Amino acid sequence: MKVLLLKDPKDRGSGPDPYIQELGLYGFEAALIPVLSFEFVSLQTFFEKLSHPDHYEGLIFTSPRAVEAAKLCLGENSKNEAWRNSLKEKWNNKSAYVVGKATASLVEEIGLAPQGEKCGNAEKLAGYICARETPNSSPLLFPCGSLKREVLPTILKEKGISLESLTVYQTAQRPSLQESLKNYFSQQGIPASIIFFSPSGVRFCLQHIQKFSGDLINQIKFAAIGPATAEAMEAEGIRVSCTAENPTPQDLAAGIKKALHL
């Protein structure tokens, strides 16, 4: 039974994608089509902010890309040395809030201790942060993408938690997306399920899926990695058959199995 994942692959060279692996254990024939392309921006500004931990109460990372931006900031020898010699220790005296295991793992790679990874989405993380931070204190530094949702900033603002956002990457549709989807549908046919991994993935993919699946689109069970993605799907009129309880391969695979009545 075929399943199509609309997501970036796991980092090259670090083994098979865990979602494809987990779905394979359930007997699914899973394929992956990357949806998004990213361009990192404002990295010098980001490093300048990272160089002044005394100006902030902590950090918030809600995507792996934001952590990758931090890694790029620290790539130069002089900056990496400054990070290792003093900045890392100073930031470790503060909170580093994250959404999801993938983001948490990357935060650990730069030497910080992630908090809140089990929250699963930005709304739950916002509640977690509000329970731990003092209103009207120094801001939390929030490196983010150009398509970030306003859920987390809005909740923190309502609770008096100061936030300083900085766009560190721009998100766009991958140039090869339409051709990749066309090839998949022509060669593999209609999958039993299609899984969206981000609201922007819904925005960029849906029209192509509708075009290439035609009248057979109603045979497809659509699934979401989390509630924000599910909301974006519903806003486009897609019936969501499954939303993963947590954004993990295990929860997604179990949800897909249940949605397909297997």
Side-chain angles (χ1 to χ4, degrees):
M1 193 170 282
K2 293 183 174 66
V3 174
L4 177 59
L5 309 176
L6 299 172
K7 69 181 288 289
D8 277 353
K10 187 181 178 184
D11 291 343
R12 291 162 184 77
S14 55
D17 185 90
Y19 287 90
I20 288 183
Q21 239 182 345
E22 188 68 25
L23 287 162
L25 296 177
Y26 283 79
F28 293 115
E29 185 183 337
L32 183 153
I33 294 180
V35 174
L36 307 174
S37 64
F38 301 95
E39 179 185 358
F40 292 100
V41 296
S42 306
L43 295 184
Q44 182 57 38
T45 302
F46 188 17
F47 180 73
E48 288 168 4
K49 293 181 182 298
L50 288 174
S51 299
H52 294 92
D54 51 308
H55 292 180
Y56 302 98
E57 289 296 315
L59 284 157
I60 302 176
F61 293 103
T62 57
S63 73
R65 296 291 173 189
V67 192
E68 287 175 21
K71 281 185 165 185
L72 287 172
C73 280
L74 306 173
E76 294 177 21
N77 287 339
S78 59
K79 293 176 180 177
N80 190 268
E81 188 175 348
W83 177 258
R84 285 186 286 105
N85 289 346
S86 63
L87 293 176
K88 180 172 70 173
E89 183 179 352
K90 291 176 181 178
W91 279 109
N92 262 321
N93 290 325
K94 303 172 182 292
S95 298
Y97 297 110
V98 303
V99 170
K101 290 184 178 180
T103 305
S105 295
L106 289 171
V107 166
E108 288 173 345
E109 286 180 17
I110 62 172
L112 300 180
Q115 298 181 40
E117 65 180 83
K118 293 182 179 179
C119 291
N121 61 61
E123 186 173 5
K124 290 179 181 177
L125 181 65
Y128 181 91
I129 292 170
C130 289
R132 286 159 178 76
E133 295 293 328
T134 305
N136 305 314
S137 299
S138 298
L140 294 162
L141 180 58
F142 179 33
C144 54
S146 56
L147 299 181
K148 81 174 190 303
R149 297 171 70 243
E150 293 300 321
V151 171
L152 185 142
T154 299
I155 294 174
L156 295 188
K157 184 178 181 180
E158 288 173 352
K159 298 295 185 180
I161 307 298
S162 181
L163 188 70
E164 186 175 315
S165 301
L166 177 67
T167 298
V168 294
Y169 63 93
Q170 303 278 358
T171 307
Q173 176 180 312
R174 188 177 285 257
S176 60
L177 175 62
Q178 182 175 353
E179 191 66 23
S180 296
L181 285 167
K182 180 181 178 181
N183 290 339
Y184 178 87
F185 280 94
S186 64
Q187 295 169 14
Q188 302 294 329
I190 303 297
S193 180
I194 294 178
I195 303 146
F196 288 100
F197 280 74
S198 67
S200 49
V202 178
R203 179 189 311 177
F204 295 138
C205 292
L206 184 57
Q207 60 179 328
H208 303 311
I209 292 169
Q210 290 168 330
K211 177 181 176 181
F212 298 133
S213 61
D215 294 338
L216 297 177
I217 193 169
N218 293 327
Q219 296 181 12
I220 303 170
K221 299 285 188 183
F222 288 96
I225 192 61
T229 303
E231 284 177 20
M233 293 163 68
E234 289 167 349
E236 294 291 343
I238 303 176
R239 184 175 181 275
V240 181
S241 297
C242 159
T243 302
E245 189 172 335
N246 293 291
T248 66
Q250 293 76 19
D251 283 345
L252 179 66
I256 294 293
K257 180 182 178 184
K258 186 175 180 181
L260 294 173
H261 306 295
L262 299 177

